[in-house]
Amino acid sequence: MNTLQKPYDEWESYHDIDKYGKLTLSNIEFTTTNLCNMRCAHCAVGYALQTKEDEAIPTIELIKHLDTVETLRVMSFTGGEPLLTKRGIRENLLPLLKYAKSRGIKTQINSNLTLPMSHYEMVAPYLDVMHISHNWCDEKEFVETGFSMMSQKPPVNKRAELYRNIFDNARELSKGGMFVSAETMLNRNTVPHMEKIHSEVANEMLCKRHEIHPMYASDFASDLETISLDEYREVVNNILGFRNENIWILFGTLPFYACSSDQRDLALLDKINNTSNTTIRNDVDGRSRMNLNIFTGDISVSDFSDDGSALGNIKTESLKDIYKRWLNTNISNSINCHCPAVKCLGANIIVKNMYYSDKVFKSGSVI
């Protein structure tokens, strides 16, 4: 008889419920750059990207704020492309990564993985997870879609080189012992190619984990067509059929819940829960995590805040006070759902708006 194996997900929000009995600020995501060498059609922060970097808040000031959050256990770094410049790595990333290491805090960098290997070698000793995106059906799509929002595009051959860098870098980092996790967003473009994409993630990039998420229809991606719940359910079932059993499959922000009145949803959840090396992550945005912009000091629920406005600013308030105020907002209360029987925290605000706009996510409700 095979024993069911479930990997431990450091970024799972429910760990805070288990430890503290309530939602807790345990996760800070930093926007550490507004620069990027790409302009993807599906970018969720595209309109915030710039061509010149602003002056960052001194790291020593950021660390003073982090010191006040005793419950902090994970940190993520996003952008833009956080590893684009070595100056940005030295001045903005490394001090925070070293601080996290000193406190035993787990870290993740979100990168497009197109850069020279020397950029990744600078952070490798301090990093726990290299998180990348792989939403490309082939090189041609990358060359076109990955730069579609850029007014002056690099030559086609240079763009193609960046595509090949993703595979080469992922493979070399994985061989070197780094935990590389590739995320694919489910949308009209990726769904027909999911088997090929998964095979590349597992067999060519040698990633340890493949994350499957819905496409967030925000910013540059606001005009892209999301898939229906029926299509979503079908593709997840398909993935469970062709997946490489040696790679961890993580379904993030999965829009199906144990309180569903649809038996197909319950069957899918049962299938996932009874499949080894496969997990579902409760969404972290607005639960255990807030985003801190190191240039402005603004705090939001995520790097693509649901209403486009900041919750507060660390120049005038503490992280814990801002988080406490977030929990008391109408938006937070509209998704403040908790089912201890299945350790589920319900939908985040973006998934609720996309798929369940007429539903109420409250503890004890049925969708």
Side-chain angles (χ1 to χ4, degrees):
M1 180 178 177
N2 293 327
T3 302
L4 194 66
Q5 296 182 348
K6 296 286 186 179
Y8 185 80
D9 183 6
E10 297 280 0
W11 269 257
E12 170 56 57
S13 297
Y14 208 90
H15 297 326
D16 297 328
I17 304 292
D18 285 335
K19 187 170 183 178
Y20 304 108
K22 62 181 181 179
L23 294 176
T24 306
L25 179 60
S26 61
N27 183 339
I28 301 292
E29 176 185 67
F30 298 86
T31 294
T32 61
T33 183
N34 292 310
L35 306 179
C36 189
N37 59 333
M38 298 177 66
R39 291 293 187 276
C40 301
H42 54 260
C43 183
V45 296
Y47 290 120
L49 298 177
Q50 302 172 183
T51 56
K52 184 179 179 180
E53 196 77 287
D54 295 328
E55 191 71 24
I57 296 171
T59 306
I60 191 170
E61 295 297 323
L62 298 175
I63 288 174
K64 286 179 182 178
H65 286 280
L66 298 178
D67 279 339
T68 67
V69 186
E70 303 87 353
T71 53
L72 189 59
R73 57 182 175 81
V74 291
M75 291 173 16
S76 303
F77 303 90
T78 187
E81 170 50 60
L83 297 167
L84 184 62
T85 69
K86 290 189 175 181
R87 177 184 174 185
I89 295 172
R90 286 192 300 268
E91 296 181 3
N92 299 334
L93 267 180
L94 281 177
L96 291 171
L97 285 169
K98 291 176 180 178
Y99 169 79
K101 195 81 169 178
S102 72
R103 277 189 61 179
I105 295 168
K106 300 299 182 182
T107 55
Q108 171 180 296
I109 292 177
N110 303 332
S111 173
N112 61 33
L113 215 63
T114 63
L115 303 170
M117 181 58 70
S118 58
H119 291 236
Y120 306 108
E121 291 172 341
M122 292 177 69
V123 300
Y126 312 100
L127 185 65
D128 294 292
V129 178
M130 180 65 73
H131 180 274
I132 69 174
S133 295
H134 187 41
N135 297 294
W136 318 109
C137 65
D138 55 28
E139 182 179 296
K140 182 176 183 293
E141 186 193 19
F142 173 88
V143 166
E144 295 175 354
T145 306
F147 301 83
S148 64
M149 307 300 286
M150 187 177 287
S151 55
Q152 293 185 331
K153 300 175 178 60
V156 171
N157 65 316
K158 293 297 182 182
R159 284 180 265 163
E161 285 180 15
L162 296 182
Y163 178 76
R164 291 188 288 273
N165 282 353
I166 298 173
F167 287 78
D168 293 341
N169 287 338
R171 186 164 50 249
E172 289 308 306
L173 290 172
S174 296
K175 286 181 177 179
M178 183 175 285
F179 190 101
V180 182
S181 181
E183 171 188 323
T184 303
M185 297 183 296
L186 297 180
N187 57 39
R188 291 270 179 248
N189 294 332
T190 58
V191 165
H193 306 283
M194 279 307 301
E195 187 167 4
K196 176 178 181 290
I197 289 172
H198 177 68
S199 178
E200 290 172 345
V201 167
N203 302 318
E204 296 184 44
M205 298 179 181
L206 305 181
C207 295
K208 301 288 196 306
R209 182 171 66 198
H210 192 184
E211 300 183 28
I212 310 297
H213 294 260
M215 182 191 73
Y216 288 158
S218 66
D219 214 289
F220 282 177
S222 59
D223 293 330
L224 297 181
E225 188 178 0
T226 57
I227 61 174
S228 68
L229 285 175
D230 286 343
E231 292 170 305
Y232 207 119
R233 194 183 301 107
E234 181 181 4
V235 71
V236 170
N237 271 304
N238 290 340
I239 290 169
L240 293 173
F242 60 63
R243 55 80 55 95
N244 183 322
E245 294 181 2
N246 295 317
I247 183 173
W248 176 3
I249 299 288
L250 187 155
F251 292 104
T253 326
L254 186 74
F256 303 106
Y257 309 98
C259 56
S260 174
S261 56
D262 191 324
Q263 290 300 312
R264 296 173 300 173
D265 296 351
L266 303 182
L268 178 60
L269 290 172
D270 186 64
K271 188 174 182 179
I272 293 172
N273 290 329
N274 286 286
T275 300
S276 285
N277 223 11
T278 304
T279 61
I280 300 169
R281 175 185 289 173
N282 279 295
D283 183 65
V284 295
D285 288 330
R287 288 342 193 298
S288 58
R289 179 167 76 183
M290 295 192 303
N291 174 273
L292 194 167
N293 186 306
I294 71 167
F295 304 103
T296 65
D298 283 344
I299 299 292
S300 56
V301 174
S302 70
D303 55 333
F304 43 98
S305 183
D306 34 83
D307 62 0
S309 61
L311 296 166
N313 192 291
I314 61 166
K315 295 176 183 177
T316 57
E317 293 180 273
S318 72
L319 286 164
K320 289 193 288 188
D321 284 347
I322 297 171
Y323 177 72
K324 183 178 179 180
R325 190 168 67 252
W326 154 253
L327 292 180
N328 291 321
T329 63
N330 290 333
I331 296 177
S332 176
N333 287 328
S334 73
I335 54 168
N336 191 2
C337 190
H338 175 208
C339 179
V342 290
K343 296 193 171 184
C344 178
L345 297 175
N348 73 357
I349 191 65
I350 298 178
V351 167
K352 179 184 183 299
N353 290 343
M354 281 199 304
Y355 292 121
Y356 298 100
S357 59
D358 60 338
K359 302 294 184 181
V360 175
F361 281 86
K362 286 286 186 181
S363 299
S365 62
V366 177
I367 59 171

